[in-house]
Amino acid sequence: MAIKIRREDALNYHTQGSPGKIEVVPTKPLSSQMDLALAYSPGVAEPCKEIEADVENVYKYTAKGNLIGVITNGTAVLGLGDIGPEASKPVMEGKGVLFKKFAGIDVFDIEINEKDPKKLIEIIRSLEPTFGGINLEDIKAPECFEIERELKKQMNIPVMHDDQHGTAIISGAALLNALEIVEKDITKIKLVVNGAGASAVSCTRFYMSLGVKRENLVMCDKEGAIRNDRPDLDDIKKEFSTDRDIHTLSDALKDADVFLGLSAGNIVNQDQIKLMAPNPIVFALANPDPEIPYELAIEAREDLIMATGRSDHPNQVNNVLGFPYIFRGALDVRATAINEEMKLAAAKAIAKLAKEPVPDIVNKAYGESKLGFGRMYLIPKPLDPRLITTIAPAVAKAAMESGVAKFPIKDWDAYELELQERIGIDQRLMSVVIARAKKDPKRVVFAEADNRKILKAAQIIKDEKIGNPILLGNREKILSLIQDNSLDLSNVSIIDPLEEKEMIQKFTSILFEKRQRKGMSISEASRLVTQRNYFGALMVETGAADAFISGLTRDYPKTILPSLHSIGVKKGVKRVAGMYIMNTDKGPFFFADATVNLDPTAEELVEIIGLTAEAVKFFNMEPRIAILSYSNFGSAQGDIPAKTAKATALAKAKYPDLIIEGEMQANVAINEEIQRDMYPFSKLIGKKANTLIFPDLSSGNIAYKLLSELGNAEAIGPILLGMNKPVHILQLGSSIREIVNMVAIAVVDAQTNDSI
């Protein structure tokens, strides 16, 4: 089911913090007078003179080589139509975010108040000195064809109208693979296209470049088949008109092999699908509703292969599979254009990738065990980390072979590493976790449901199908807050512990049995189980819920104790630990312990290392562990260096298969250059540390909080390690986003717990 977006939530998302979705961040230090002098006057004059002497130096001394202009005049925005350039800006900012997330490309979005194609062409052409490439967006047909065509002629940088070519490239890849599965020759298939806008026209042209014959296609619009004898045809429609005795969409679909819809939802019925040839291919790409609902199409034809634009059905045709990586490859060879050869290379690379074994990280992200090439998997999933290292090199090679590359790549292995490092290929960690959670949502009980943030997060969890919230607290107060915040939680379970007499009695017996030899009386147990942190933990312990979330408004020690009493630790675990995921521009780092153990011994550090390593593997990453100190391999004396050196030796002996190094200072742990120069024996050389073990609670806690505030890193956690069942404690004052992230982790934790 598609995600339900509320108007208030969408507006709040765009206004919270700084308005909009983007900002400009300097890439050079600006902390001293010398820095300022180098960045601006007088130092900036030197690169200016170098560029004046050789204009190609602009790529060496400025950001041009990694900067795309996302440009529109707002005349065809999403399904909203001509809403104007100002109203289109949120969409263009969103496109910039996708460029950055998936390909590490910077974007300036430019909204131009001009509808005259010739004037718009001149404005965009004049921007060439600024950008390494131009992504045209949401410009209406037929003007978009002229604008792109003329800009390609007049500019010496890549230009692509993604509305035209993005869908063509992705669906073209799907078509190639679908035809291979049904064993049909592309030169002989009968193609029906419904829609005559920019995407439909570009897709049809692209399919012809793949091999579809002109005489074998029929294009329809809202008036029916586009025929030669129709008086209303413009030059574009004349390009695809037919003189055959075909007048309606039903006429066209008779014995057709492929239907491509880029029109409107729910305009094709089951009877029309039944008219198609054996093993029909249906690409119903209208959004948000396809031309025929997926379920109806599959019901009509068992032999049908189908793709839509939706993420809740197999074979999603999503432009994000293409444009970030196409521009990445074009920029990296300084291509002067994005030509047909480059688009074909992208489509073929996407098609080929779908035939390769699917990594576990992708299977787990989508809750699948056997994703593989076939009718339900024609093209890769958007979260596949191999997309950038597959498509960008293919596009770059095609640019080089077709003669439009000014800066050819020589070392392809080095280029692949550069691509991975450019985006921090593991930055999608939470996207993968959330996608995996959605495949098998679990019951998550919130102890602090009388809090606005918790209720907002519960709404997101419910709407996005990440989990099934259970709200714990005073019923009247929760219902009042739901109403005051215009939330829709009508189908969500609300439990007031004071109303649950049978559960109180049951939980009292369980808690007393667990703690009677720890000094707890039956009356104390009866009193404690009415408290939400005990009640919620006991719900998980008894199977009434799958995971427990608390800690937003209470200190960590007070929050964790009821779960330790009620649920306890895993077999063989002596103590729990806390881990933070720090999402940084250099990728994710795992910090432990920053929340639980005040001053662990060397032996206790070893246990923390084991728990943390298992948690890192849970996120489908290899733990590369650095044990931190203020000393490097015995360079300084003291209790901490002695403890961490001993912990390192013990851990290496206990976990011989893990990459473990220490004791070492934090900067050395993450700086391979220092290690190569000073400590060439380090096991972390070539295996950059991603898991940092702190010697005590103070250092870990200080480090993660400083990095969060000063390093612009996102802290996810703390993730509680070693509990017998899924319990996760929020950071005091967590944001709604942080709560949602933690719930996703808890759900996947519960999924894993079920499988054990």
Side-chain angles (χ1 to χ4, degrees):
M1 183 177 291
I3 296 170
K4 182 178 180 181
I5 299 297
R6 289 173 175 77
R7 180 176 182 275
E8 180 187 0
D9 292 338
L11 295 178
N12 287 340
Y13 175 86
H14 285 82
T15 57
Q16 65 187 2
S18 300
K21 299 187 285 284
I22 58 175
E23 65 178 351
V24 176
V25 178
T27 59
K28 301 295 186 293
L30 294 167
S31 56
S32 68
Q33 184 63 35
M34 174 61 78
D35 291 339
L36 294 175
L38 291 171
Y40 199 53
S41 182
V44 75
E46 297 307 320
C48 291
K49 289 187 284 187
E50 291 295 309
I51 296 168
E52 181 189 24
D54 181 355
V55 73
E56 288 299 307
N57 281 331
V58 70
Y59 289 95
K60 182 177 181 181
Y61 294 111
T62 77
K64 177 183 171 83
N66 195 51
L67 186 62
I68 293 292
V70 174
I71 300 179
T72 188
N73 63 355
T75 53
V77 181
L78 301 177
L80 303 173
D82 185 353
I83 61 175
E86 291 87 356
S88 74
K89 187 170 175 61
V91 180
M92 301 309 115
E93 287 186 358
K95 195 69 177 282
V97 170
L98 296 179
F99 266 113
K100 187 67 173 179
K101 176 179 176 64
F102 289 103
I105 295 173
D106 295 316
V107 164
F108 288 159
D109 63 291
I110 297 181
E111 295 74 32
I112 300 173
N113 189 15
E114 181 56 71
K115 293 184 179 180
D116 184 304
K118 290 183 171 52
K119 292 181 180 178
L120 190 59
I121 290 166
E122 183 57 29
I123 293 168
I124 298 172
R125 188 193 64 78
S126 70
L127 297 173
E128 182 169 341
T130 300
F131 296 110
I134 300 292
N135 182 105
L136 300 173
E137 195 79 14
D138 291 351
I139 301 172
K140 73 181 181 73
E143 290 92 332
C144 62
F145 300 112
E146 176 190 355
I147 291 166
E148 186 193 46
R149 182 177 62 249
E150 288 303 314
L151 287 174
K152 283 186 170 185
K153 288 180 183 177
Q154 298 180 32
M155 301 182 79
N156 289 309
I157 57 175
V159 176
M160 187 173 83
H161 185 212
D162 188 49
D163 298 313
Q164 294 181 53
H165 306 295
T167 302
I169 292 165
I170 310 309
S171 65
L175 178 63
L176 290 174
N177 281 345
L179 291 173
E180 181 175 328
I181 290 168
V182 299
E183 298 181 343
K184 291 186 179 182
D185 185 342
I186 195 169
T187 64
K188 297 177 181 178
I189 62 166
K190 294 179 180 179
L191 168 68
V192 176
V193 180
N194 198 59
S199 290
V201 169
S202 186
C203 284
T204 306
R205 288 172 174 167
F206 191 68
Y207 289 8
M208 291 170 68
S209 70
L210 290 172
V212 172
K213 298 299 183 183
R214 169 71 180 79
E215 60 270 21
N216 290 339
L217 73 87
V218 176
M219 181 178 284
C220 300
D221 60 13
K222 60 185 178 181
E223 304 299 328
I226 298 175
R227 294 174 43 81
N228 291 334
D229 56 5
R230 274 178 42 177
D232 61 336
L233 301 186
D234 57 27
D235 289 342
I236 298 295
K237 290 184 178 180
K238 286 179 182 177
E239 183 181 342
F240 304 103
S241 62
T242 182
D243 57 6
R244 282 179 284 168
D245 187 22
I246 295 173
H247 298 269
T248 67
L249 179 59
S250 294
D251 293 341
L253 284 171
K254 187 175 181 180
D255 296 325
D257 297 289
V258 179
F259 169 77
L260 171 66
L262 287 156
S263 49
N266 301 303
I267 61 171
V268 175
N269 59 45
Q270 289 182 313
D271 290 338
Q272 290 172 313
I273 295 296
K274 291 175 181 178
L275 294 172
M276 296 181 70
N279 288 305
I281 297 166
V282 173
F283 291 172
L285 305 184
N287 268 322
D289 299 315
E291 282 77 4
I292 179 171
Y294 180 83
E295 294 79 9
L296 291 182
I298 296 298
E299 183 182 87
R301 296 286 297 260
E302 290 184 359
D303 60 344
L304 176 142
I305 293 179
M306 188 167 182
T308 71
R310 295 174 58 124
S311 61
D312 52 342
H313 298 312
N315 302 322
Q316 183 194 16
V317 175
N318 188 330
N319 281 19
V320 81
L321 287 174
F323 69 83
Y325 315 114
I326 293 167
F327 272 100
R328 179 76 276 157
L331 290 176
D332 290 340
V333 293
R334 296 186 196 170
T336 57
I338 293 175
N339 56 27
E340 199 68 14
E341 291 88 345
M342 294 160 74
K343 290 184 286 181
L344 287 167
K348 291 175 181 178
I350 294 167
K352 182 180 178 182
L353 181 59
K355 300 174 192 176
E356 296 180 5
V358 180
D360 286 343
I361 190 172
V362 178
N363 275 311
K364 290 179 179 179
Y366 291 92
E368 302 283 353
S369 58
K370 296 181 179 178
L371 270 181
F373 180 59
R375 289 172 175 263
M376 308 294 279
Y377 182 74
L378 297 175
I379 48 178
K381 298 289 189 179
L383 291 176
D384 194 321
R386 301 170 298 170
L387 287 166
I388 191 169
T389 53
T390 299
I391 303 170
V395 171
K397 287 176 182 176
M400 291 164 56
E401 291 168 1
S402 61
V404 297
K406 295 165 64 179
F407 189 75
I409 292 168
K410 297 177 181 178
D411 187 337
W412 292 98
D413 291 336
Y415 179 53
E416 180 170 338
L417 290 174
E418 178 189 325
L419 289 172
Q420 294 179 3
E421 291 174 359
R422 186 181 283 278
I423 66 165
I425 204 159
D426 299 316
Q427 286 182 16
R428 305 181 195 178
L429 183 145
M430 279 313 303
S431 299
V432 170
V433 171
I434 289 171
R436 183 176 168 189
K438 290 180 180 181
K439 293 299 179 180
D440 185 17
K442 298 295 183 180
R443 299 163 299 167
V444 181
V445 58
F446 291 91
E448 299 154 300
D450 55 358
N451 181 281
R452 183 187 65 84
K453 283 185 180 178
I454 293 292
L455 292 175
K456 289 267 192 178
Q459 184 75 73
I460 295 170
I461 297 303
K462 169 180 172 281
D463 289 347
E464 297 193 15
K465 308 293 184 186
I466 294 171
N468 301 311
I470 300 172
L471 306 177
L472 210 56
N474 181 278
R475 186 180 304 275
E476 290 185 7
K477 186 175 181 181
I478 292 171
L479 289 172
S480 177
L481 281 168
I482 290 172
Q483 184 176 358
D484 291 346
N485 289 277
S486 302
L487 301 173
D488 178 15
L489 294 169
S490 54
N491 296 323
V492 171
S493 176
I494 300 175
I495 296 179
D496 187 337
L498 298 179
E499 297 174 353
E500 302 295 332
K501 303 302 181 185
E502 289 186 13
M503 293 181 80
I504 290 293
Q505 187 175 359
K506 178 181 179 181
F507 290 172
T508 298
S509 297
I510 292 171
L511 183 61
F512 177 63
E513 184 178 348
K514 288 176 176 287
R515 302 297 298 174
Q516 60 186 344
R517 294 185 181 276
K518 303 290 184 180
M520 184 178 289
S521 66
I522 188 74
S523 61
E524 185 181 8
S526 178
R527 177 181 60 83
L528 288 175
V529 296
T530 62
Q531 297 177 12
R532 284 175 284 172
N533 281 327
Y534 275 97
F535 193 95
L538 285 161
M539 286 183 69
V540 174
E541 174 65 5
T542 59
D546 301 304
F548 177 60
I549 297 288
S550 188
L552 181 67
T553 60
R554 299 195 71 189
D555 291 338
Y556 199 93
K558 295 177 182 176
T559 306
I560 193 176
L561 191 62
S563 292
L564 288 170
H565 287 171
S566 305
I567 294 174
V569 299
K570 290 180 179 178
K571 186 177 180 179
V573 173
K574 296 179 181 178
R575 62 181 54 241
V576 295
M579 179 186 79
Y580 275 93
I581 304 172
M582 305 302 296
N583 266 340
T584 76
D585 58 4
K586 293 185 178 180
F589 289 85
F590 302 88
F591 284 21
D593 179 357
T595 54
V596 179
N597 296 285
L598 185 63
D599 187 15
T601 65
E603 290 76 13
E604 290 167 347
L605 278 176
V606 173
E607 187 167 8
I608 291 169
I609 290 167
L611 289 172
T612 306
E614 286 304 309
V616 175
K617 292 176 184 176
F618 171 84
F619 290 102
N620 298 294
M621 295 185 65
E622 177 190 33
R624 301 185 295 273
I625 301 167
I627 303 174
L628 302 183
S629 172
Y630 58 78
S631 168
N632 287 312
F633 308 106
S635 65
Q637 301 301 308
D639 291 342
I640 287 179
K643 177 174 73 172
T644 50
K646 182 180 179 182
T648 301
L650 292 172
K652 285 183 175 181
K654 186 172 183 178
Y655 310 114
D657 295 333
L658 292 178
I659 299 171
I660 301 174
E661 195 54 274
E663 89 284 14
M664 60 203 309
Q665 294 175 356
N667 65 317
V668 175
I670 60 176
N671 190 319
E672 289 185 67
E673 188 175 340
I674 295 176
Q675 292 180 50
R676 285 192 184 94
D677 290 345
M678 303 291 294
Y679 310 105
F681 53 84
S682 171
K683 295 183 182 298
L684 292 172
I685 295 174
K687 298 275 188 179
K688 183 179 70 173
N690 62 7
T691 306
L692 306 182
I693 305 298
F694 292 87
D696 53 39
L697 181 63
S698 293
S699 57
N701 193 269
I702 290 168
Y704 100 78
K705 288 187 175 179
L706 277 175
L707 189 58
S708 297
E709 294 298 323
L710 303 180
N712 197 33
E714 177 190 22
I716 301 171
I719 299 167
L720 192 57
L721 311 177
M723 292 295 294
N724 197 38
K725 293 185 179 180
V727 172
H728 291 284
I729 311 301
L730 299 169
Q731 184 180 352
L732 196 65
S734 293
S735 68
I736 294 170
R737 170 190 168 92
E738 289 166 341
I739 297 168
V740 172
N741 283 343
M742 186 61 78
V743 171
I745 290 170
V747 169
V748 177
D749 191 3
Q751 293 170 356
T752 306
N753 199 65
D754 283 352
S755 66
I756 294 174

